[in-house]
Amino acid sequence: MLKLCSLFFVMVSFTMHASLITGRRICKRMLDYRLLNRAKLCVFSIIAFSAIIFLIYADSLVFNKSKTSAAEETSEVFQAHKSKARIRSAVIRVQLRSMKEEKDDKIDDGSDQIILVAPFNVTEEERVAWFRKKLPEFKIFKSNNLTRQFHGRVLEFFSHGCEAQFFMTWISPASSFGGREMLSLESLFKVHPQVCLMILSRTMDSKHGYRILKPLLDRGFKVHAVTPDLPFLFKGTPAEAWFHELRRGNKDPGEIPLSQNLSNLIRLAVLYKYGGIYLDTDFVVLKPFTGLRNSIGAQSMDMVSKKWTRLNNAVLVFDINHPLLFKFIEEFALTFDGNKWGHNGPYLVSRVVERLGKRPGYNFTVLPPMAFYPVDWTRIGGLFKKPKSQGESRWVEAKLLQLRVESYGVHLWNKQSNSLTIEEGSIIGKLIANHCLIYNHVYSS
């Protein structure tokens, strides 16, 4: 810096000296033309001009010397600003929902879904003690204005010229009602535009749930989420006493999420009280159900004897007060076991139907696996993959034709398939393209 200042003063002196000499010569000439009165102005202008030139030159030297470091600093500042911008952008995306929406979601976020799962590796006595302690927190057991209006809301909803009445259950947070579930609803209304669908759900019976269903409502489809009144649903059935003891904390809920087993019971009770068609939320509808009555589907069948080996309760079609439903509810109350997966669901309906055999007075039909379960849960993954050869492409087309002819729909076995990506050109991908009403994208979760 000292060297630069010394250079500055030397150059200023030199420039001023040269400027003075030049100025004298010019002034001498100007005197010859009798312009002496303007000489001082001329000299001053030349000196000022020289000083400006020097300052520009000196500034360029300083700039060139610091150019590299300044560029590096600028780059670092830019990168820091860019990183902050990314973070700020991410925060903005997360906070797009309003404070009011966040508050609404906290009301219906299904937080009791977490505490409905009992601790593992404990004794039955410890689990019952845990259950009693947590009972006051179980929202699904509580009564409010919505539960008290349940029966009236059901009757009012189904009084609007429904071609058929469908039911689903959703005992999970409304925020988890996603693409797969919407696909099920869209496929239902694609095939049955004039039916009414009621979703029995405390969490979906909310502002958040309404926003989820609004695209369907805006298109005139009849879908409604209603908070169920469980004591009313189970009243007058064999499950009434069982549920009363459960609410008092005198039952072992088991290790299986209690919400899953309550869903198994709710679907039976709502069909017994009102009649209609129950569907799981991971079922894609392919053709009308309106010709079916008092039907249950086989999940598997012995290929030699052609006799079913297991039934399933993901699809149920029954008239109001059907005696088989009464038997199912009775079996649930008498043999409830919350520690065995499927014991109170698919295995329950299988036990009851096998025990009844061909006893008269029940009047129901067991449909073959192709009706509702054309692909077993162990092979469902194949429907999500795109064909990689001409042979596989021919198989996909043949399978699609078979489904269109023989199946009322496809159960997606969401517990096994929810992590699978639906690949373009796959069977499920093609079913979505043909049966979605609103969303054209492929559901990947």
Side-chain angles (χ1 to χ4, degrees):
M1 189 66 185
L2 290 173
K3 291 180 180 180
L4 185 61
C5 292
S6 300
L7 177 62
F8 173 82
F9 287 115
V10 169
M11 292 187 69
V12 168
S13 301
F14 175 78
T15 304
M16 291 181 68
H17 178 70
S19 300
L20 287 170
I21 294 172
T22 305
R24 287 170 185 167
R25 290 173 181 173
I26 294 172
C27 289
K28 188 174 183 296
R29 291 174 184 173
M30 294 174 71
L31 285 171
D32 292 340
Y33 293 96
R34 298 184 181 184
L35 295 174
L36 184 59
N37 57 332
R38 298 180 183 177
K40 290 181 181 180
L41 179 61
C42 181
V43 172
F44 178 78
S45 299
I46 294 172
I47 292 172
F49 177 77
S50 300
I52 292 171
I53 295 298
F54 172 76
L55 289 173
I56 293 172
Y57 176 72
D59 185 66
S60 68
L61 288 175
V62 175
F63 174 76
N64 289 333
K65 186 174 186 347
S66 60
K67 183 177 181 181
T68 303
S69 59
E72 292 172 351
E73 291 177 4
T74 302
S75 176
E76 292 174 359
V77 171
F78 176 75
Q79 291 299 328
H81 175 74
K82 193 174 180 182
S83 298
K84 289 179 181 178
R86 286 198 198 102
I87 294 171
R88 186 163 55 251
S89 176
V91 171
I92 289 171
R93 284 196 295 271
V94 171
Q95 295 176 346
L96 282 176
R97 295 156 70 187
S98 68
M99 294 298 292
K100 187 174 185 298
E101 288 173 335
E102 294 289 346
K103 185 178 179 181
D104 291 340
D105 290 348
K106 287 179 181 178
I107 294 173
D108 62 30
D109 64 355
S111 56
D112 59 336
Q113 177 71 8
I114 298 173
I115 60 174
L116 281 171
V117 181
F120 289 96
N121 299 321
V122 297
T123 65
E124 180 178 335
E125 290 75 16
E126 291 172 331
R127 192 164 50 243
V128 170
W130 166 86
F131 183 60
R132 287 175 180 168
K133 182 180 178 181
K134 291 292 185 180
L135 266 174
E137 302 175 39
F138 286 180
K139 296 179 183 178
I140 196 168
F141 293 150
K142 294 181 179 179
S143 296
N144 56 26
N145 288 334
L146 292 177
T147 58
R148 286 187 285 272
Q149 297 170 19
F150 171 70
H151 181 57
R153 294 174 75 188
V154 173
L155 295 180
E156 194 279 333
F157 179 64
F158 287 129
S159 67
H160 296 291
C162 305
E163 185 180 79
Q165 49 194 50
F166 282 77
F167 295 94
M168 291 180 177
T169 62
W170 188 256
I171 311 179
S172 297
S175 57
S176 63
F177 197 96
R180 295 283 178 90
E181 290 72 33
M182 284 302 295
L183 170 61
S184 181
L185 270 59
E186 288 186 49
S187 68
L188 171 62
F189 288 115
K190 173 83 172 185
V191 177
H192 309 86
Q194 300 302 319
V195 302
C196 298
L197 168 63
M198 177 167 286
I199 303 174
L200 301 176
S201 173
R202 179 182 290 260
T203 59
M204 288 293 288
D205 188 8
S206 63
K207 292 180 180 178
H208 190 168
Y210 175 80
R211 289 195 297 272
I212 293 171
L213 301 176
K214 192 174 184 299
L216 291 168
L217 293 168
D218 288 344
R219 286 160 176 79
F221 298 116
K222 300 169 186 174
V223 55
H224 193 33
V226 175
T227 301
D229 183 350
L230 299 189
F232 173 81
L233 272 177
F234 303 146
K235 187 175 182 179
T237 75
E240 183 176 9
W242 175 87
F243 186 68
H244 179 69
E245 289 299 300
L246 180 73
R247 293 181 72 185
R248 294 179 62 185
N250 295 330
K251 291 287 184 181
D252 176 15
E255 293 182 349
I256 304 298
L258 183 57
S259 58
Q260 179 178 318
N261 283 317
L262 285 175
S263 174
N264 286 326
L265 181 57
I266 290 170
R267 70 189 67 180
L268 300 175
V270 75
L271 290 183
Y272 185 72
K273 289 278 187 180
Y274 300 103
I277 302 166
Y278 170 82
L279 295 178
D280 270 359
T281 55
D282 57 349
F283 189 87
V284 180
V285 179
L286 300 182
K287 66 181 183 181
F289 281 59
T290 47
L292 297 177
R293 281 191 66 191
N294 303 321
S295 302
I296 188 170
Q299 177 182 325
S300 57
M301 178 181 289
D302 185 282
M303 299 306 295
V304 177
S305 65
K306 302 299 180 183
K307 183 183 182 302
W308 63 266
T309 55
R310 185 185 300 173
L311 306 181
N312 200 290
N313 64 338
V315 181
L316 299 169
V317 185
F318 283 99
D319 294 340
I320 188 172
N321 296 328
H322 195 278
L324 184 59
L325 291 172
F326 186 91
K327 283 293 184 182
F328 288 158
I329 297 171
E330 184 180 57
E331 180 74 7
F332 186 101
L334 292 175
T335 68
F336 175 80
D337 188 338
N339 295 308
K340 298 178 182 178
W341 187 92
H343 177 82
N344 312 296
Y347 291 107
L348 181 150
V349 295
S350 300
R351 291 196 304 271
V352 171
V353 172
E354 184 175 24
R355 192 161 57 238
L356 289 175
K358 295 182 178 180
R359 190 181 304 178
Y362 285 90
N363 186 29
F364 68 94
T365 302
V366 176
L367 299 175
M370 278 302 298
F372 305 135
Y373 314 101
V375 180
D376 192 67
W377 66 270
T378 59
R379 296 191 296 274
I380 190 64
L383 271 61
F384 288 75
K385 298 184 180 299
K386 65 180 179 182
K388 297 179 181 178
S389 65
Q390 289 186 351
E392 290 182 0
S393 295
R394 286 194 293 269
W395 177 82
V396 166
E397 295 303 321
K399 191 66 177 177
L400 286 169
L401 178 61
Q402 183 187 32
L403 292 175
R404 284 194 292 267
V405 173
E406 300 182 37
S407 299
Y408 290 93
V410 180
H411 190 241
L412 297 183
W413 307 104
N414 208 37
K415 188 175 182 181
Q416 281 71 38
S417 68
N418 60 3
S419 62
L420 300 177
T421 298
I422 302 173
E423 299 179 3
E424 186 177 357
S426 65
I427 290 176
I428 300 300
K430 289 180 178 291
L431 290 179
I432 290 174
N434 293 331
H435 291 84
C436 65
L437 289 169
I438 301 168
Y439 302 104
N440 293 320
H441 61 84
V442 174
Y443 300 98
S444 59
S445 62

